[in-house]
Amino acid sequence: MTGRLHLLILDINECLENKDICGNNAECHNTLGSYSCFCNEGFVSSTGVEIFIFGQGVTCEDRNECEDDITICGKHTQCVNTPGNYSCVCNPGFGLKSVKAQFTGNRESCEEITDQKATTDQTATTDSEDAQGAKDLCKINKFICGGNGTCHNATNSGHRCACHSGFTNYGDPQGRCTELNCDMFASEKHLKMVIPGLQDAVALMRTSCLALRESNTAEQVDGEALLETLLSAIDRLLSGGPLKNNKEVSVLLDLVETALRIIGPLLKHPETRRFKTHTEVELLVQRNASSPQGPLTLSSTHAQLDSHWETAAGDTSYPGFATVSLLSYKGLETSTNHSFSGLKAQEGHSFQINSKVVTATMSNKDTSFLKEPVTFTFSHLKESDEGNYTCVYWDELGEGTWSDRGCFLVQSNATHTVCSCYHLSSFAVLMALYEFKDTFQLQLITWVGLSLSLLCLFICILTFSLIRSIRSTRNTIHLHLCLSLFIANLIFLVGISRTESQAGCAVVAGLLHFFFLSAFCWMCLEGVQLFRMVVLVFNTTFRPLYMMAGGYGVPAVIVAISALANAKGYGTERHCWLNLEDGFIWSFFGPVCIIIMVNVFFFLITVWKLAQKFSSLNPDLDKLRKIKAFTITAVAQLCVLGTMWIFGCFQFEESTLAMSYLFTILNSLQGVLVFLMHCLLSKQVREEYGKILDSICALQKTKYSEFSSNQSSNSKSQTSKSAQNTGESQI
């Protein structure tokens, strides 16, 4: 007998057994032997999968349709997200034809209300119904004021936001309320650090900031006036020269960043530009119901910023506006050109700022790390194809320093550098300078050469001051020329690189300025004296008072005027010399050029007069030959010192190795050349040196003869004594 066994398998419907098996906001679908979970419409899974089951850790979260598609409601609307859905509300001044307070999808659109009374008549509504519509608007979107303000009905079928204390909508009655921090302007800690030149601007910013966050009278705050006050204060501060230390730089930059964030939303125009002596700023403002989109560009004379409005607005709650600003400083780079402790330079390299410093701000609350980088294009202050450039920002930690964290070099050429940064602050471009490996050799030449030069100048000073037979007006001029060069070279040797003390370095630079100018003035007086010797027959001597006024008085007046005009011009970062910026170096090179031209003029006339006298019937040949020799010596001296300072023009900033060696050798040996031309090549001086040597030799002979006679007398006395002793012994 054969039997059949029938096996019946029943499917268990998990969806019926456990209705909450898929969790909240999800729908369960039964399948043969299993089940599947799908998120409800308007929700998305936390992991991004479409199908899941219990135990996989997947939950269904609300989908923010307003963020996923910012155009979902169309123009002139505000999108309000709700759990599993969204609604669209018309902006103030716009309405729906259906007179509904809200809508969903693209079936309706908001149109401008041109005649409120006509619209009211057509829809048979009353003022009370309009108020009810406004009331509905506040109810529909509870976060219409940003969650930090109270929504009130308005008579024009709109709403008004009254911000809570500590929050503001920057004068826009329908704008969302955002937090405003006034600690930068109001706290005692920050007020103690305020630089004196910025006190008025800080006081006005404090008053305005407190008015914005503590009251609903923000419309009375004038953004344009605040911007003008801020820029004027920065101008006054930077016109006084470099800031004292890095802390002052940090205080200034922090103040500017905070102030621009407050000023931006208060400006009435979409674009604002301002130009000052030491500042240049551009600000952009976008006011839309929804977050703006698209690229943006700001520019100044020396820099450009490129970004997107999405970055400027940020990912947090959109306040109804987005701002971005770019401020460029003129002169601040000199205050920060030594602040490189936050960077690591390669061996044999140093850093130098090669762009203007700029500050960039956005209304985005979180600019410490941006999802999309901001691009900066900087113009170089000094064009160079061989530069190794670094993009940096000002890090306010500690005293403040430049840092390259979060900034990257995109591309660079001789004139521009493009940087990409993932945060906002104040930025610049640094150029790595290659330091000479021959520094020791140059220092050795300087020390040996200047020491020899000082010795020769000292001999010249003794010669012209102690030997009476060669005293004359011309040699008096040579005496003071050697004195000026001796003091200038001694100060140069000891203090040219002592930049530790700013005040001490400025004094060294001022003394070098005075004594080098004095040397050129005494050379000019020598040219005038030669001219008088040839042209004038009688009274060819200078009065001592006139010589002192020309040799020392004129340089003193030039240095005094220069110091009063720009005291900060004395002393640089690398040398105790005149600053090459703003043309201050011409307070030295200008007078030197004039002196050289005057000397050349007198030398040409002197040579012309000499030629005439040599061709006369009865020339005084001895006198003319002497003047001719004097003229040749003076011209050679002018050429040596003039040529030295031609190379000196390039020595203190943009020096090359060849220029450095030429300047160092000529500067080190100028004393030797003066001694050679005015002493060793002068027959009269050589004769006096010969007499002095003869006197010394004669004195040595006299001492030797006295010593010899003493020795012979002593030997005779000793002989007689020995004879006596012998006689006594014989007796």
Side-chain angles (χ1 to χ4, degrees):
M1 180 176 177
T2 303
R4 293 186 179 179
L5 180 63
H6 294 274
L7 183 62
L8 180 64
I9 300 176
L10 299 177
D11 175 50
I12 299 175
N13 191 335
E14 293 87 352
C15 298
L16 293 177
E17 292 285 336
N18 185 1
K19 295 182 179 181
D20 297 326
I21 192 171
C22 290
N24 296 328
N25 307 316
E27 184 179 348
C28 180
H29 290 263
N30 185 58
T31 59
L32 185 63
S34 184
Y35 69 98
S36 300
C37 295
F38 299 86
C39 289
N40 294 336
E41 187 176 356
F43 295 88
V44 292
S45 68
S46 57
T47 60
V49 298
E50 294 184 359
I51 303 174
F52 60 93
I53 60 174
F54 176 76
Q56 293 180 344
V58 180
T59 58
C60 292
E61 300 173 348
D62 176 47
R63 176 195 170 199
N64 192 334
E65 294 85 355
C66 299
E67 288 187 357
D68 292 345
D69 184 3
I70 60 174
T71 63
I72 194 170
C73 289
K75 297 181 179 179
H76 315 303
T77 60
Q78 292 185 28
C79 181
V80 181
N81 186 56
T82 58
N85 205 345
Y86 70 98
S87 60
C88 302
V89 181
C90 293
N91 290 338
F94 295 85
L96 298 172
K97 289 183 178 181
S98 62
V99 199
K100 292 181 180 179
Q102 59 181 329
F103 68 97
T104 303
N106 55 4
R107 290 170 293 181
E108 294 195 64
S109 61
C110 296
E111 299 179 357
E112 186 177 5
I113 301 174
T114 57
D115 190 339
Q116 184 66 34
K117 186 176 183 303
T119 304
T120 303
D121 293 340
Q122 290 175 4
T123 57
T125 58
T126 61
D127 292 340
S128 62
E129 288 174 329
D130 289 337
Q132 183 65 33
K135 183 177 180 181
D136 292 340
L137 187 62
C138 293
K139 283 186 176 181
I140 292 169
N141 188 359
K142 295 180 179 180
F143 296 98
I144 195 170
C145 293
N148 299 305
T150 303
C151 181
H152 296 282
N153 299 332
T155 58
N156 60 347
S157 71
H159 71 283
R160 177 176 60 84
C161 293
C163 297
H164 301 160
S165 179
F167 298 86
T168 183
N169 52 14
Y170 295 95
D172 182 5
Q174 296 179 337
R176 295 181 180 179
C177 301
T178 57
E179 185 179 8
L180 180 59
N181 189 346
C182 297
D183 289 346
M184 177 66 192
F185 310 110
S187 69
E188 293 293 331
K189 176 183 176 182
H190 285 86
L191 289 177
K192 290 179 181 178
M193 297 189 297
V194 174
I195 307 171
L198 299 175
Q199 289 175 344
D200 293 341
V202 171
L204 182 59
M205 291 300 303
R206 180 174 63 251
T207 303
S208 303
C209 188
L210 293 176
L212 286 171
R213 61 174 287 175
E214 302 299 339
S215 67
N216 291 315
T217 59
E219 61 271 7
Q220 299 176 4
V221 179
D222 189 347
E224 280 76 8
L226 286 178
L227 181 61
E228 184 68 24
T229 301
L230 176 67
L231 298 181
S232 298
I234 299 173
D235 253 29
R236 288 193 300 271
L237 181 66
L238 296 183
S239 62
L243 301 183
K244 295 179 182 178
N245 50 55
N246 291 0
K247 196 64 181 178
E248 288 194 353
V249 175
S250 296
V251 171
L252 171 63
L253 297 178
D254 192 19
L255 168 68
V256 171
E257 289 181 35
T258 307
L260 289 176
R261 288 194 185 98
I262 295 176
I263 292 172
L266 296 171
L267 297 176
K268 299 177 181 178
H269 304 288
E271 180 180 6
T272 302
R273 278 183 176 270
R274 292 288 187 274
F275 297 89
K276 292 285 186 179
T277 305
H278 293 278
T279 53
E280 183 179 350
V281 65
E282 182 180 9
L283 299 98
L284 300 180
V285 184
Q286 285 272 20
R287 292 182 177 87
N288 298 307
S290 57
S291 180
Q293 291 184 322
L296 64 88
T297 299
L298 296 94
S299 62
S300 65
T301 306
H302 299 280
Q304 178 176 304
L305 180 152
D306 293 287
S307 185
H308 293 82
W309 281 110
E310 294 90 334
T311 303
D315 295 331
T316 57
S317 179
Y318 175 62
F321 64 84
T323 66
V324 60
S325 65
L326 180 69
L327 190 147
S328 176
Y329 306 88
K330 300 175 184 177
L332 187 59
E333 65 274 7
T334 58
S335 301
T336 59
N337 209 12
H338 57 280
S339 309
F340 308 123
S341 59
L343 299 168
K344 293 183 179 180
Q346 297 180 6
E347 184 178 357
H349 288 74
S350 62
F351 291 111
Q352 181 181 10
I353 293 182
N354 198 29
S355 73
K356 295 297 182 184
V357 180
V358 300
T359 294
T361 67
M362 290 180 175
S363 55
N364 188 343
K365 294 291 184 181
D366 185 13
T367 58
S368 58
F369 184 81
L370 302 172
K371 290 184 177 180
E372 295 295 331
V374 177
T375 302
F376 295 91
T377 303
F378 292 94
S379 298
H380 294 167
L381 300 179
K382 299 174 183 177
E383 296 183 5
S384 174
D385 289 319
E386 301 177 357
N388 184 14
Y389 297 100
T390 304
C391 301
V392 294
Y393 79 101
W394 185 258
D395 189 351
E396 296 179 4
L397 293 178
E399 292 294 318
T401 182
W402 290 113
S403 172
D404 59 356
R405 181 177 57 84
C407 289
F408 307 94
L409 178 69
V410 178
Q411 62 179 13
S412 182
N413 55 33
T415 59
H416 293 83
T417 291
V418 180
C419 300
S420 181
C421 296
Y422 280 89
H423 54 79
L424 291 183
S425 178
S426 297
F427 303 90
V429 169
L430 304 184
M431 180 172 64
L433 301 177
Y434 178 74
E435 296 180 349
F436 295 138
K437 294 183 179 179
D438 299 71
T439 302
F440 174 75
Q441 289 88 333
L442 291 172
Q443 289 181 346
L444 182 63
I445 293 173
T446 300
W447 279 91
V448 174
L450 281 182
S451 300
L452 182 61
S453 184
L454 289 171
L455 177 63
C456 292
L457 288 171
F458 184 70
I459 296 173
C460 290
I461 292 170
L462 294 178
T463 300
F464 296 130
S465 59
L466 298 180
I467 301 178
R468 296 182 179 180
S469 60
I470 63 173
R471 288 182 180 175
S472 63
T473 301
R474 181 170 175 270
N475 283 337
T476 300
I477 293 173
H478 290 162
L479 171 63
H480 290 283
L481 170 64
C482 293
L483 274 171
S484 298
L485 288 176
F486 181 85
I487 298 174
N489 285 340
L490 183 61
I491 296 173
F492 187 94
L493 183 65
V494 175
I496 189 65
S497 299
R498 303 307 297 263
T499 58
E500 298 88 357
S501 170
Q502 187 175 358
C505 187
V507 172
V508 170
L511 291 174
L512 288 175
H513 190 194
F514 172 78
F515 283 108
F516 277 127
L517 277 181
S518 179
F520 276 97
C521 287
W522 284 110
M523 281 195 300
C524 184
L525 288 174
E526 182 178 11
V528 175
Q529 174 63 12
L530 288 174
F531 170 78
R532 289 166 60 87
M533 291 173 67
V534 173
V535 176
L536 299 180
V537 179
F538 305 102
N539 192 24
T540 60
T541 59
F542 267 127
R543 290 186 180 182
L545 181 62
Y546 293 164
M547 286 195 297
M548 296 301 161
Y552 295 119
V554 172
V557 171
I558 294 173
V559 173
I561 293 174
S562 301
L564 290 174
N566 184 12
K568 300 290 186 180
Y570 287 101
T572 68
E573 295 295 331
R574 299 174 61 194
H575 302 286
C576 296
W577 183 234
L578 278 62
N579 201 327
L580 270 68
E581 295 188 4
D582 300 326
F584 187 73
I585 189 65
W586 284 101
S587 62
F588 175 75
F589 285 126
V592 166
C593 291
I594 294 174
I595 290 171
I596 291 176
M597 288 189 291
V598 170
N599 254 6
V600 170
F601 172 75
F602 280 114
F603 287 154
L604 290 175
I605 296 179
T606 300
V607 172
W608 176 49
K609 290 292 184 180
L610 277 175
Q612 285 183 335
K613 292 195 174 187
F614 269 113
S615 61
S616 61
L617 294 176
N618 297 308
D620 187 352
L621 294 179
D622 290 338
K623 180 180 178 180
L624 292 177
R625 288 194 183 103
K626 186 183 294 186
I627 296 175
K628 177 184 176 182
F630 291 166
T631 304
I632 294 172
T633 304
V635 172
Q637 173 184 271
L638 180 65
C639 290
V640 169
L641 292 181
T643 304
M644 181 194 80
W645 281 108
I646 290 174
F647 297 118
C649 293
F650 308 97
Q651 169 65 17
F652 294 102
E653 290 294 336
E654 296 181 357
S655 57
T656 62
L657 195 58
M659 290 290 184
S660 296
Y661 272 107
L662 288 171
F663 176 78
T664 302
I665 292 171
L666 289 175
N667 184 48
S668 301
L669 298 179
Q670 59 181 342
V672 178
L673 296 173
V674 170
F675 175 69
L676 177 66
M677 290 185 291
H678 294 311
C679 293
L680 296 184
L681 295 181
S682 172
K683 182 180 179 181
Q684 187 180 12
V685 175
R686 288 201 308 272
E687 290 175 353
E688 293 298 328
Y689 284 164
K691 292 178 183 179
I692 293 172
L693 291 175
D694 291 341
S695 300
I696 294 173
C697 293
L699 182 62
Q700 291 293 332
K701 288 180 181 179
T702 303
K703 289 183 178 180
Y704 179 75
S705 61
E706 289 178 355
F707 176 77
S708 299
S709 61
N710 289 335
Q711 287 290 99
S712 60
S713 63
N714 289 335
S715 62
K716 287 179 181 180
S717 63
Q718 289 176 0
T719 304
S720 62
K721 285 182 179 180
S722 62
Q724 291 177 0
N725 293 333
T726 305
E728 289 176 357
S729 62
Q730 290 174 354
I731 293 172

